[in-house]
Amino acid sequence: MGSEETTAALLNATFVRPASFYISGFSNMPHVKYYFVFLCFVYVFTVLGNGLLLSVICLVKSLHTPRYMIVFNLAATDLCGSTALIPKLLHMFLWDRRLVSYEACLSDMFFIIFFLGVQSWTLLAMAYDRLVAICFPLRYHRVVTLPSIGAVLLSVWAFFLSMVALTTGAIDRLSFCGSVVVKSFFCDHAPVYKLACNDKSINAVMAYVGFALVLLVPPILIVITYVWISVALSRIASAEERLKALKTCTSHLITLSQQLISAKCCYQTNKVFQETRG
C-alpha cells in the first residue's frame, strides 16, 4: 500500500472532532457596527411585532380560523428563527467571542435551518389558502379546515425536524483535521462540512437537497400558485370583484416581500463578506 493510500485509510479510520469552530464572518467589513445596530432594531421589532400578533390571534376567538392558524405558525417560526440567529450573532461579533463549541455550532445549525425550512413552507401554505379561496370559493370551507391545515403544518414540522436532524447528524461522521475557520457569519451547513478532510459526498448531496427543499421548491410553487390566481382573476368580469379578491392576497404578498428582502439582505451580507475575504 502506497503512502497516499495509507494516509487516506488513516483519515477514514480516525475521526477528528474539534473542540470548537471559529466564525470568521464580518471580518474586515467596513462600518460593521452600523450593521449590528440595524440588526438590534430588526430583532426588537421582530420580537414586538410577532409577539403582538401571536397574542392577538390567541386572544381574539374570531381569528381562530385556518388562515390565521397559518399566520400564527409563520409568526412563531419567524420569532424562533430570529431568536436562534440574531442574539448569537450580536454576542459573537460585538464582544469578539467567535469561538463556538462543536456542540453549540451543530445546535445553532439545526435550529436556524429548521425554522427557515418551516417558515418557507408556511408561506407556501398561505399561498395554497389563497388559491383555494379565489379559484375554488365554493369548496373553500370544506377543503381548508382547522384539522386539515393543522395536519399540513404538523407534517411540515415533522418533515423538517427529521430532515434537518439527519443533515446535522451527518456532520458527526466527518473528520476535521485541518482548518476550523467557518467562512460565514454563523454555523452554516455548507461552510462547516467543506472543512472536513474525509469523504463528504453524502453531506454535499444533503446540502443540495436541503437547498432545493427550503429555498427553491417553495418559491417556484408560490409563483405557480399566483399565476393560477391571476388567470382566475382575469376571468372575473367585474373590476370591483377582481380588486376585492386581490385584496385578500395583500397580507400574504406583504409577508412574502418581507421574506424576500430579508433573504436578499443575507445574500448581500454574505457577498460583501466573501469580497472582503478575497
Side-chain angles (χ1 to χ4, degrees):
M1 184 181 289
S3 60
E4 292 183 359
E5 292 177 347
T6 304
T7 302
L10 287 171
L11 288 176
N12 286 328
T14 306
F15 287 87
V16 179
R17 179 179 294 179
S20 58
F21 289 102
Y22 181 85
I23 310 299
S24 64
F26 299 117
S27 299
N28 302 319
M29 281 183 64
H31 311 298
V32 70
K33 288 189 177 180
Y34 294 110
Y35 184 73
F36 290 137
V37 172
F38 170 73
L39 276 181
C40 285
F41 279 109
V42 168
Y43 183 64
V44 169
F45 282 116
T46 298
V47 171
L48 293 177
N50 286 320
L52 179 62
L53 183 58
L54 292 171
S55 300
V56 170
I57 293 174
C58 284
L59 296 174
V60 180
K61 290 187 177 180
S62 61
L63 298 181
H64 295 179
T65 62
R67 181 181 179 184
Y68 282 97
M69 178 187 282
I70 300 172
V71 173
F72 184 92
N73 190 73
L74 184 64
T77 52
D78 187 32
L79 179 60
C80 293
S82 298
T83 301
L85 176 62
I86 297 178
K88 188 77 173 181
L89 206 63
L90 296 172
H91 174 76
M92 280 193 297
F93 296 107
L94 286 180
W95 284 273
D96 199 26
R97 296 176 180 175
R98 307 188 184 209
L99 279 176
V100 181
S101 69
Y102 179 84
E103 292 78 11
C105 185
L106 293 191
S107 176
D108 292 344
M109 183 190 301
F110 173 84
F111 285 110
I112 292 169
I113 298 174
F114 171 70
F115 287 119
L116 178 63
V118 175
Q119 196 171 1
S120 183
W121 280 81
T122 303
L123 286 169
L124 179 58
M126 290 180 73
Y128 168 75
D129 172 77
R130 291 301 86 204
L131 174 69
V132 178
I134 293 172
C135 299
F136 309 100
L138 298 179
R139 301 180 187 177
Y140 179 77
H141 292 291
R142 283 186 298 158
V143 174
V144 183
T145 62
L146 284 173
S148 65
I149 293 299
V152 168
L153 295 177
L154 188 61
S155 300
V156 169
W157 279 72
F159 173 77
F160 277 102
L161 186 66
S162 304
M163 192 200 79
V164 179
L166 287 173
T167 303
T168 308
I171 298 289
D172 242 2
R173 60 174 289 279
L174 298 178
S175 182
F176 298 91
C177 51
S179 173
V180 291
V181 178
V182 179
K183 295 180 179 179
S184 183
F185 49 90
F186 72 100
C187 284
D188 199 359
H189 178 251
V192 170
Y193 88 76
K194 287 179 180 178
L195 296 174
C197 52
N198 60 338
D199 180 29
K200 48 201 172 192
S201 55
I202 294 176
N203 301 82
V205 170
M206 296 181 81
Y208 285 121
V209 171
F211 173 80
L213 289 175
V214 174
L215 298 174
L216 195 62
V217 174
I220 290 173
L221 293 179
I222 288 171
V223 169
I224 292 172
T225 298
Y226 273 96
V227 169
W228 196 343
I229 289 173
S230 299
V231 172
L233 289 175
S234 67
R235 293 175 180 172
I236 299 175
S238 170
E240 185 179 344
E241 289 297 322
R242 280 201 301 270
L243 183 61
K244 184 179 177 181
L246 187 60
K247 281 182 178 178
T248 65
C249 302
T250 304
S251 59
H252 180 239
L253 291 172
I254 291 172
T255 305
L256 187 60
S257 300
Q258 290 172 341
Q259 298 302 319
L260 290 173
I261 291 170
S262 298
K264 187 175 180 180
C265 287
C266 289
Y267 171 77
Q268 290 295 339
T269 300
N270 192 52
K271 186 178 179 182
V272 170
F273 164 67
Q274 294 296 337
E275 288 173 354
T276 55
R277 295 292 296 179

